[in-house]
Amino acid sequence: MIPVELVGVRVEIPANTPMMLLREQTGQHRLLPIYIRSVEAAAIHDAIDGTEPPRPLTHDLFIDVLDELGSTLEKVLITDCRDHTFYAELHLMTGEMSSVVSSRPSDAVALALRCEAPIFVDDDLLNVAGHLPPADEAEQAEDIIDEFKDFIDQVSPDDFATE
């Protein structure tokens, strides 16, 4: 398991597809981009900003349920990528009992941010899917965050309506 941190969420142009970007905390600081849906991108952004809705949204509700059950999110592990789909696990602790729950990486990261739980990536996965950062990494990270903020400012609830 390799510890990673969330660099930010950005919108890939021209497809207008949100993506979260994770970075290896030590070593080569490899990057792991994972495409996500707009709803999860907004949930991650809210967690980064510390935005608290007037009523709990899905990720907030999950945290409330964990608290009520006396459970904690110990860590998140991004485990695999098959057919361009990433997989993750929530590692929970209730008393002395541990359990693992399958999750989408975007939901897992949104929860980890709210709980301040560490995020890890499987070694083999990062070796296969990780990318070395460009030379101007700090500048690029700021650009990513700025792009996502622009996306959030322009998105409306109608963008998520189903036909």
Side-chain angles (χ1 to χ4, degrees), residues 6-157:
L6 177 69
V7 173
V9 180
R10 64 182 276 179
V11 177
E12 278 295 295
I13 307 295
N16 244 4
T17 306
M19 173 187 70
M20 68 177 175
L21 188 60
L22 302 172
R23 178 178 52 213
E24 182 179 23
Q25 289 183 357
T26 59
Q28 300 174 355
H29 298 285
R30 292 171 289 180
L31 301 170
L32 181 65
I34 300 176
Y35 289 99
I36 60 177
R37 296 182 328 161
S38 299
V39 175
E40 284 77 20
I44 291 169
H45 183 266
D46 287 348
I48 291 169
D49 281 352
T51 303
E52 291 192 31
R55 294 181 45 152
L57 298 176
T58 305
H59 298 98
D60 306 304
L61 176 62
F62 188 84
I63 299 301
D64 290 347
V65 170
L66 286 179
D67 288 344
E68 192 64 31
L69 296 173
S71 299
T72 57
L73 177 61
E74 294 291 307
K75 67 182 172 191
V76 162
L77 175 60
I78 315 283
T79 58
D80 198 8
C81 181
R82 295 185 305 263
D83 298 323
H84 305 290
T85 300
F86 284 86
Y87 295 84
E89 297 173 345
L90 304 174
H91 288 250
L92 306 170
M93 187 65 85
T94 306
E96 295 195 21
M97 185 182 85
S98 64
S99 54
V100 177
V101 177
S102 180
S103 174
R104 292 183 299 195
S106 55
D107 289 325
V109 168
L111 292 170
L113 292 172
R114 284 166 172 77
C115 294
E116 298 181 9
I119 305 167
F120 297 91
V121 173
D122 179 85
D123 300 56
D124 293 334
L125 176 59
L126 195 57
N127 288 334
V128 171
H131 304 283
L132 289 174
D136 61 341
E137 181 182 325
E139 183 178 311
Q140 189 176 43
E142 288 178 25
D143 291 343
I144 290 169
I145 293 168
D146 289 341
E147 281 181 44
F148 184 67
K149 285 180 180 176
D150 291 343
F151 167 76
I152 290 297
D153 289 341
Q154 296 174 9
V155 73
S156 76

